[in-house]
Amino acid sequence: MSLHTRKHGEEQPYWPAGPFKIRLPFIHYRWELPETIQALVMFVVGLAIIPLLEKYLGMPYEAALAYAFIGGLCYLLPALLGVPLVPGWITPALPVVILFLNGFEPGPEAIQAMFALQIWVTLIFLILGLSGWGARLVEVIPNSLKSGIIIGAGIAALMGELKTGGRIDATPISLLIGSIVCAYVLFSLSFKNVAQQSPLARRIANFGMVPGMVIAMIVGWAVGEYPLPQIEWGITQPDFALMADYLIFAVGMPSLDIFLLAIPTALIAYVIAFGDIIVGFTLVDRIDKARPDEHIEANVNRVHTVTAIRNGIHAFFAPWPGLAGPLWTAAHATVAERYAMGRQAMDSIYSGGGTFWLTGMIALFCLPLVTLFKPVLPIALSLTLVLTAYICIMVGMEQLKNPTERGVAGIVAVTLAMPDPKSTVYALVVGLTLYFLIERPRLMGKHQPEDEMIFADEGSNK
């Protein structure tokens, strides 16, 4: 229950605060039990950043764990400030960020590079959010280019797992079984039919990707793909004092050269994050139509501003190779699927997302949970990337309206997925070029969309 109750068809109650709408659990939205249970398992995806911090930034586990706590606090901001998306990393950009960090020695130099990159990402989101240009971009960018970016990001995320030397080589059994179970529970039409008739199947559906993740972990331990955990009891004690030695205040500001080197990667990260925003609001629009009892405000500028705040906090207090992204696609899809089941299943989209990351923050303090999942952190990240790929491809294809758009989007997607650090730049150039040369009936001036022209031609023939 919550102190404020939403009337049918209205927006979820909030406290106005300038450009933000503040919502607190138990005051503005109720606590959701299924999201609580999901988060007690899925919070491990946030911990999966730790091996990356150790390898590419050269920090010890205790300091990396403290970084994860800063990340946990930042995950709370979107639901708190009025964004209906479940936040995460800019996950498909991770391979590009790692390629950028490979050019620097792990330690102070890599931390400076990560700071420079995250500051640029902060400025891009902040400028586009405060100016209102972020909302205009959604309308201005050609549909084929937007969809191509989304599909290409999904392909890149999947190929990172399936390539030679990827996690499919090291842990094929657990990854394949976990992916199949997650996809079946989340997306299978046959499972949805079963869930309509079986109470047990409905309960399983409520937990989204958790059943697949748990099965993948158990299989990984059973077949020896992951070592068994050494569970410790008590409260997690991240070393914030040690963490301070790995912040920009201790290692010094990066040089101008490093700032300049970070610009292309920051632009690439934003383009991919922009695709995440499109995916997120496409899912929101779909479920908003299924739930007339709640009006969901899709404010693109607010998403930009909140994402800028999160990246700014990370830059100074926890430089983050995953970057602070507007959407955790797999988790948001899980919340959206349950929200679509009706108000009894989930009161508000904010109650689902808010409960999820508040529980995730609490779970970070539970040492038994942290040590239990420590050996299997890679499988949590892998399943998220696989599901992200499926959802990106599904949503991107859904947005394409005619064969011409599908052709251009396909070329953009393939170009973006190339294993080249400049692939996103190439994809943008190719996409815009093909849009003007192929999609537009006139290179200059106003023009009718292709489907309208076909309809007009058919009418004149009659």
Side-chain angles (χ1 to χ4, degrees), residues 68-404:
F69 273 81
I70 301 298
L73 289 173
C74 289
Y75 291 138
L76 304 179
L77 293 180
L80 175 67
L81 298 179
V83 174
L85 307 179
V86 179
W89 307 349
I90 308 180
T91 310
L94 190 57
V96 181
V97 175
I98 289 174
L99 189 64
F100 169 70
L101 290 176
N102 277 333
F104 303 91
E105 188 71 23
E109 189 179 53
I111 293 170
Q112 290 175 343
M114 194 63 238
F115 171 83
L117 172 60
Q118 203 136 28
I119 282 294
W120 280 122
V121 174
T122 300
L123 291 174
I124 293 171
F125 273 103
L126 189 63
I127 291 171
L128 293 177
L130 294 180
S131 65
W133 296 341
R136 295 191 184 99
L137 275 177
V138 177
E139 302 173 357
V140 171
I141 294 181
N143 194 48
S144 56
L145 182 57
K146 289 186 290 189
S147 296
I149 290 172
I150 296 170
I151 296 169
I155 295 173
L158 185 60
M159 295 309 297
E161 298 301 307
L162 301 181
K163 68 180 181 181
T164 302
R167 270 183 282 267
I168 191 67
D169 283 349
T171 59
I173 300 174
S174 55
L175 179 54
L176 288 174
I177 292 177
S179 298
I180 291 170
V181 174
C182 284
Y184 183 71
V185 171
L186 282 173
F187 308 116
S188 170
L189 296 178
S190 64
F191 183 76
K192 288 181 180 178
N193 288 332
V194 173
Q196 291 178 355
Q197 302 172 7
S198 169
L200 177 60
R202 282 196 295 274
R203 293 191 186 97
I204 294 174
N206 281 341
F207 298 122
M209 66 181 289
V210 169
M213 190 176 292
V214 171
I215 289 174
M217 292 174 179
I218 293 173
V219 170
W221 283 323
V223 302
E225 290 183 344
Y226 292 99
L228 293 174
Q230 297 179 348
I231 299 176
E232 302 175 22
W233 301 94
I235 298 175
T236 309
Q237 296 181 347
D239 196 333
F240 291 101
L242 179 61
M243 182 191 77
D245 295 334
Y246 295 87
L247 298 179
I248 200 67
F249 310 107
V251 303
M253 293 293 290
S255 65
L256 179 61
D257 289 344
I258 294 178
F259 273 112
L260 293 176
L261 286 171
I263 293 176
T265 306
L267 292 173
I268 290 170
Y270 174 75
V271 171
I272 294 174
F274 179 75
D276 281 343
I277 293 174
I278 296 171
V279 170
F281 279 125
T282 299
L283 292 173
V284 166
D285 181 63
R286 181 188 297 173
I287 60 176
D288 193 27
K289 293 175 181 176
R291 287 281 303 271
D293 60 284
E294 178 180 12
H295 169 68
I296 304 175
E297 182 189 24
N299 190 314
V300 175
N301 293 328
R302 185 180 300 140
V303 175
H304 278 74
T305 305
V306 173
T307 305
I309 293 171
R310 291 174 58 218
N311 276 289
I313 293 172
H314 272 295
F316 286 99
F317 301 106
W320 197 257
L323 301 172
L327 182 75
W328 179 2
T329 311
H332 182 69
T334 300
V335 171
E337 285 290 324
R338 208 173 72 79
Y339 176 81
M341 295 178 184
R343 190 165 185 175
Q344 287 187 337
M346 183 185 296
D347 179 48
S348 167
I349 191 68
Y350 298 98
S351 63
T355 300
F356 183 89
W357 272 125
L358 278 168
T359 303
M361 186 64 193
I362 295 170
L364 286 174
F365 287 96
C366 299
L367 186 59
L369 283 176
V370 172
T371 53
L372 171 66
F373 293 122
K374 184 178 178 181
V376 289
L377 293 180
I379 194 65
L381 178 59
S382 292
L383 292 177
T384 296
L385 288 168
V386 170
L387 293 178
T388 296
Y390 179 89
I391 295 167
C392 285
I393 295 170
M394 175 186 69
V395 172
M397 294 293 290
E398 189 177 61
Q399 299 303 301
L400 297 169
K401 301 175 182 177
N402 55 60
T404 306

